[in-house]
């Protein structure tokens, strides 16, 4: 286990010092820790926002038939929900037609002709559209205007005369470039509020927080801090609340960026990735009309009228379980291929998919993530296209010696593009040069060790450091700050001398451990190999890395550290 301290090893004011090291203005720390509505930007700082708001209000006033694009992720769902519900608040009789994507399409790629056939007069394209000029031109030629409410980077191709573009990336005066599509949509609703003299939009900030967290937007901007703080502490959307209630045990009753991203967003994404069309529609209607009742399809209750939230949560739980079964099935298959073909001999595992690998491309990222973690190496799932490129998903495991995989091969001559996050992104590589790419990667990474976990740590301690409990308590107290590019701080404790009798082996399967250290409960789950080493010795010396939080039980709150990795430094009899 290798560790690298990525900031000064602070000895006090740990959270504040860490935030400053991560880019927060030291003179505005209190404002960051306690944001207000003043931290929300004025919607007029978004270019064309007022023009977009006026066009939508005109459609409402004239009872125009509106088309609505639904992008296939949580940001797309929340964005379209916000604008749909807003429109119906202003005009309950407004006619809205929407379409789901069949696969991983984006924006108007597979729906522009459907809107022409539906005879809409204006299309609203939330969380998409900044690069859809050719579709906007096609719609415009058919007499249909488009309003784009996006947050993606503008690539090329120009802008259509038939569309109004609102995008924080193309707005020089909009400071927050880490606002998701749901945020741009919400700001447009705030502009409509201003023009109407109304206040409909404020209640949707919880959906903005959900969409931004799921899209891994930065919590280090002042605007996003307020969105997350207000949105997660005042959830008004019944469907979002029902998701949190459903996942309450896993979330430990805590609703913040991290818990929502890990336990709420995956339920929605699982449905969008692998759900049947009727399952996707049911989920979306949960957000649009949470007050409605639907016919139950539950065994023993078929035909009964039940809450759409009850039926929807049951269906989504089944979809997530079905997705997991698919993943487990394909993991066995690809694990075998990796070992049989000696792919672990390389520093990167590249899996070219064939016609036999007949599964939805939405699973590429999940499978790559699982296998990269299992083999402790970057993993790419690629499928060859007719354009000479193999495209797919890339994932970099936690603890990888390469901190930014996307940047690492950005200068590779065989990589056409890589879009997304540092450790999770889409990539395109020349099909005829996949072997050359692997050779290139092996040479560039020849000095790295991939079979040993490597951790970027924020605090390094020894057992003699008496502030361990205070540090863990402070980090846990500010659990609402962490997520995205402001991850939970990683704490490393070195050279801990323990009598193995003081280590409790716990869990239903006896595969977890717990021990006390300087007032902090240190816990590690699913660690059978570590337990075997513990059982073989009377005393051990170990080092570990983990993340602190607060544990509440029977009205008592205490600091604990969830251990990610342990290294047994010395076994058997200790020499002092």
């Amino acid at each position: 286990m290798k560790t690298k301290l990525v900031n000064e090893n602070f000895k006090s004011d740990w959270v504040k010092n860490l935030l400053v090291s991560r880019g927060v203005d030291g003179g505005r720390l209190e404002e960051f820790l306690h944001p207000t509505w003043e931290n929300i930007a004025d919607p007029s700082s978004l270019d064309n926002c007022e023009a977009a708001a006026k066009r939508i209000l005109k459609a409402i006033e004239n009872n125009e038939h509106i088309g609505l694009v639904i992008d296939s992720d949580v940001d797309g769902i929340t964005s379209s929900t916000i604008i749909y519900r807003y429109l119906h608040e202003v005009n309950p009789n407004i006619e809205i037609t929407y379409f789901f994507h069949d696969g991983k399409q984006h924006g108007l790629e597979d729906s522009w002709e459907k809107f022409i056939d539906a005879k809409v007069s204006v299309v609203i394209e939330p969380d998409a559209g900044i690069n859809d000029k050719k579709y906007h031109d096609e719609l415009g030629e058919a007499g249909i205007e488009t309003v784009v409410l996006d947050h993606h980077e503008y690539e090329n191709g120009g802008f259509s005369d038939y569309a109004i573009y609102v995008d924080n990336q193309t707005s020089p005066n909009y400071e927050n470039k880490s606002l998701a599509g749901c945020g741009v949509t919400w700001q447009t609703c705030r502009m409509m509020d201003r023009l109407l003299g109304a206040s409909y939009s404020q209640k949707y900030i919880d959906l903005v927080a959900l969409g931004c967290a799921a899209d891994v937007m930065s919590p280090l901007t002042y605007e996003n801090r307020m969105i997350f703080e207000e949105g997660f502490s005042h959830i008004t959307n019944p469907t979002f609340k029902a998701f949190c209630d459903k996942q309450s045990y896993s979330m430990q009753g805590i609703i913040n960026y991290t818990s929502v991203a890990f336990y709420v967003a995956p339920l929605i994404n699982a449905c969008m990735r692998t759900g049947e069309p009727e399952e996707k529609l049911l989920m979306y209607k949960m957000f649009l009309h949470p007050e409605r009742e639907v016919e139950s399809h539950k065994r023993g209750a078929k035909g009964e009228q039940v809450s759409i939230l009850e039926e929807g949560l049951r269906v989504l739980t089944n979809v997530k379980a079905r997705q997991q079964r698919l993943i487990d099935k394909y993991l066995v298959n690809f694990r075998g291929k990796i070992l049989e073909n000696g792919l672990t001999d390389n520093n990167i595992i590249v899996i070219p998919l064939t016609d036999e690998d007949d599964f939805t491309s939405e699973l590429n990222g999940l499978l790559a993530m699982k296998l990269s973690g299992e083999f402790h190496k970057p993993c790419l799932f690629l499928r060859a296209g007719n354009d000479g490129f193999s495209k797919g998903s890339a994932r970099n495991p936690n603890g990888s010696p390469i901190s930014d995989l996307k940047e690492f091969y950005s200068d590779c001559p065989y990589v056409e593009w890589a879009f997304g996050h540092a450790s999770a992104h889409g990539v395109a590589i020349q099909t005829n040069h996949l072997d050359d790419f692997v050779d290139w990667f092996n040479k560039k990474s020849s000095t790295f060790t991939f079979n040993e976990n490597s951790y970027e740590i924020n605090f390094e301690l020894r057992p003699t450091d008496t502030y361990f409990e205070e540090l863990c308590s402070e980090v846990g107290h500010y659990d609402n700050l962490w997520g995205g590019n402001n991850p939970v701080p990683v704490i490393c404790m070195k050279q801990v001398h323990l009598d193995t009798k003081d280590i409790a082996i716990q869990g239903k399967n006896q595969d977890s451990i717990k021990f006390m250290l300087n007032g902090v409960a240190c816990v590690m789950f699913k660690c059978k190999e570590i337990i075997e080493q513990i059982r073989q010795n009377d005393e051990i010396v170990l080092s570990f890395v983990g993340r602190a939080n607060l544990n509440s039980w029977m009205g008592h709150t205490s600091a604990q550290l969830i251990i990610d990795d342990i290294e047994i430094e010395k076994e058997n009899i200790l020499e002092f």
Side-chain angles (χ1 to χ4, degrees):
M1 180 176 70
K2 292 183 178 180
T3 59
K4 177 185 177 182
L5 191 64
V6 294
N7 47 258
E8 181 183 338
N9 197 23
F10 306 114
K11 304 294 184 180
S12 62
D13 290 327
W14 302 279
V15 168
K16 292 182 178 180
N17 282 320
L18 182 61
L19 290 173
V20 172
S21 76
R22 291 178 172 179
V24 176
D25 185 347
R28 299 176 63 189
L29 270 173
E30 288 305 312
E31 180 185 352
F32 183 84
L33 294 173
H34 307 287
T36 67
W37 280 96
E38 292 182 1
N39 295 114
I40 301 296
D42 192 289
S44 63
S45 56
L46 280 168
D47 288 2
N48 305 317
C49 187
E50 184 172 350
K54 287 180 177 178
R55 179 62 188 93
I56 296 172
L57 289 176
K58 176 185 174 184
I60 296 174
E61 182 180 352
N62 294 335
N63 282 308
E64 296 180 41
H65 185 185
I66 296 174
L68 180 61
V69 177
I70 305 172
D71 234 39
S72 298
D73 61 8
V74 181
D75 189 16
I77 290 293
T78 52
S79 298
S80 56
T81 298
I82 289 169
I83 193 67
Y84 183 100
R85 288 179 65 86
Y86 187 94
L87 294 175
H88 273 277
E89 279 204 89
V90 179
N91 181 355
N93 298 316
I94 194 74
E95 183 181 5
I96 301 175
T97 294
Y98 53 81
F99 296 107
F100 287 99
H101 296 302
D102 296 324
K104 294 187 74 172
Q105 297 91 346
H106 189 64
L108 286 162
E109 182 180 353
D110 61 340
S111 61
W112 65 273
E113 291 177 299
K114 297 177 183 177
F115 285 121
I116 293 176
D117 293 340
K119 294 181 170 51
V120 303
S121 61
V122 61
V123 170
I124 302 175
E125 194 174 3
D127 188 34
I130 194 63
N131 297 299
D132 276 357
K133 176 184 182 299
K134 62 180 179 180
Y135 305 125
H136 302 151
D137 286 341
E138 293 283 359
L139 289 171
E141 292 296 329
I144 301 171
E145 295 178 273
T146 305
V147 176
V148 172
L149 308 175
D150 201 1
H151 75 118
H152 293 94
E153 295 279 357
Y154 170 71
E155 294 171 13
N156 52 54
F159 299 103
S160 172
D161 293 334
Y162 300 106
I164 301 171
Y165 297 89
V166 184
D167 190 317
N168 54 329
Q169 307 302 329
T170 60
S171 300
N173 295 323
Y174 204 88
E175 182 179 346
N176 183 13
K177 302 303 181 186
S178 195
L179 185 67
C182 54
V184 175
T185 302
W186 179 63
Q187 285 284 37
T188 305
C189 292
R190 294 183 71 222
M191 176 62 78
M192 287 191 280
D193 271 353
R194 179 176 299 174
L195 296 172
L196 291 170
S199 58
Y200 299 120
S201 63
Q202 187 165 327
K203 69 172 72 68
Y204 300 121
I205 194 170
D206 57 343
L207 293 180
V208 182
L210 168 58
C212 284
D215 229 38
V216 202
M217 296 293 100
S218 173
L220 289 173
T221 72
Y222 292 89
E223 181 171 57
N224 286 359
R225 270 289 297 129
M226 178 56 186
I227 288 171
F228 293 131
E229 188 76 15
E230 180 70 15
F232 292 142
S233 60
H234 296 91
I235 296 177
T236 61
N237 182 270
T239 306
F240 185 13
K241 185 177 186 305
F243 276 117
C244 292
D245 291 342
K246 173 71 176 176
Q247 300 292 76
S248 179
Y249 179 79
S250 298
M251 297 168 74
Q252 298 181 331
I254 298 171
I255 302 174
N256 58 27
Y257 186 123
T258 302
S259 65
V260 167
F262 273 91
Y263 298 109
V264 174
L267 276 178
I268 301 171
N269 281 329
C271 187
M272 297 307 291
R273 287 169 176 154
T274 60
E276 297 296 331
E278 63 272 16
E279 292 168 334
K280 294 180 183 180
L281 181 60
L282 175 63
M283 183 193 69
Y284 190 47
K285 286 184 176 180
M286 289 172 66
F287 281 96
L288 299 186
H289 310 291
E291 73 286 349
R292 290 186 178 177
E293 290 190 343
V294 296
E295 187 176 295
S296 174
H297 292 84
K298 182 180 179 180
R299 186 179 303 170
K302 288 185 178 180
E304 295 181 10
Q305 289 294 304
V306 297
S307 161
I308 192 172
L309 298 182
E310 177 186 337
E311 178 69 3
L313 286 172
R314 184 189 65 81
V315 168
L316 292 185
T317 302
N318 290 341
V319 171
K320 186 71 170 65
R322 188 172 71 223
Q323 181 194 68
Q324 189 58 52
R325 289 193 296 271
L326 282 174
I327 291 172
D328 292 342
K329 169 188 171 182
Y330 290 119
L331 281 176
V332 172
N333 178 36
F334 288 114
R335 191 180 292 120
K337 287 185 178 181
I338 289 170
L339 297 175
E340 289 169 12
N341 294 292
L343 299 185
T344 56
D345 294 339
N346 301 307
N347 289 343
I348 189 167
I349 297 173
V350 176
I351 301 177
L353 300 174
T354 67
D355 291 339
E356 294 179 358
D357 302 315
D358 185 21
F359 59 85
T360 175
S361 61
E362 281 82 2
L363 292 181
N364 285 350
L366 291 173
L367 291 167
M369 178 184 69
K370 294 284 187 180
L371 291 170
S372 70
E374 182 174 334
F375 291 102
H376 304 290
K377 292 182 178 181
C379 184
L380 276 60
F381 267 62
L382 304 174
R383 191 179 295 274
N386 297 325
D387 57 357
F389 294 99
S390 290
K391 304 169 187 174
S393 298
R395 295 295 185 269
N396 195 32
N398 292 331
S400 170
I402 299 174
S403 59
D404 190 330
L405 179 65
K406 182 163 68 81
E407 176 64 26
F408 185 81
Y409 48 52
S410 62
D411 61 342
C412 177
Y414 312 115
V415 176
E416 177 68 8
W417 50 256
F419 296 134
H421 305 289
S423 295
H425 49 269
V427 64
I429 300 173
Q430 297 173 28
T431 300
N432 293 335
H433 291 283
L434 290 181
D435 290 339
D436 295 326
F437 166 75
V438 173
D439 290 340
W440 178 93
F441 193 96
N442 285 340
K443 289 176 182 177
K444 186 171 182 179
S445 61
S446 60
T447 60
F448 297 146
T449 302
F450 285 90
N451 58 358
E452 181 179 14
N453 284 341
S454 176
Y455 296 93
E456 293 186 344
I457 63 172
N458 304 106
F459 307 105
E460 183 176 280
L461 296 83
R462 297 292 191 277
T464 52
D465 291 317
T466 57
Y467 58 82
F468 182 44
E469 182 179 11
E470 189 179 355
L471 164 63
C472 291
S473 295
E474 184 171 301
V475 169
H477 174 73
Y478 286 105
D479 64 351
N480 61 328
L481 297 180
W482 317 120
N485 66 339
N486 188 35
V488 178
V490 179
I491 300 170
C492 177
M493 179 65 76
K494 297 262 188 167
Q495 297 178 321
V496 179
H497 295 233
L498 288 175
D499 188 316
T500 55
K501 294 194 299 292
D502 295 327
I503 302 176
I505 299 174
Q506 300 179 329
K508 178 181 178 181
N509 298 317
Q510 292 289 283
D511 59 355
S512 301
I513 62 172
K514 176 181 178 180
F515 57 87
M516 298 299 298
L517 180 65
N518 297 348
V520 177
C522 301
V523 182
M524 188 175 190
F525 301 103
K526 297 182 180 179
C527 54
K528 286 187 175 181
E529 291 183 7
I530 297 295
I531 290 173
E532 287 304 312
Q533 295 184 64
I534 291 171
R535 285 173 169 162
Q536 293 170 14
N537 298 278
D538 296 325
E539 298 175 307
I540 56 173
V541 178
L542 54 81
S543 296
F544 56 84
V545 294
R547 295 165 172 79
N549 62 26
L550 296 180
N551 181 47
S552 296
W553 179 253
M554 302 292 287
H556 176 68
T557 300
S558 59
Q560 70 175 5
L561 189 90
I562 305 301
I563 299 173
D564 294 323
D565 201 358
I566 284 182
E567 181 177 77
I568 306 291
E569 297 187 4
K570 188 174 182 180
E571 301 178 8
N572 302 318
I573 299 175
L574 301 180
E575 297 177 4
F576 293 94

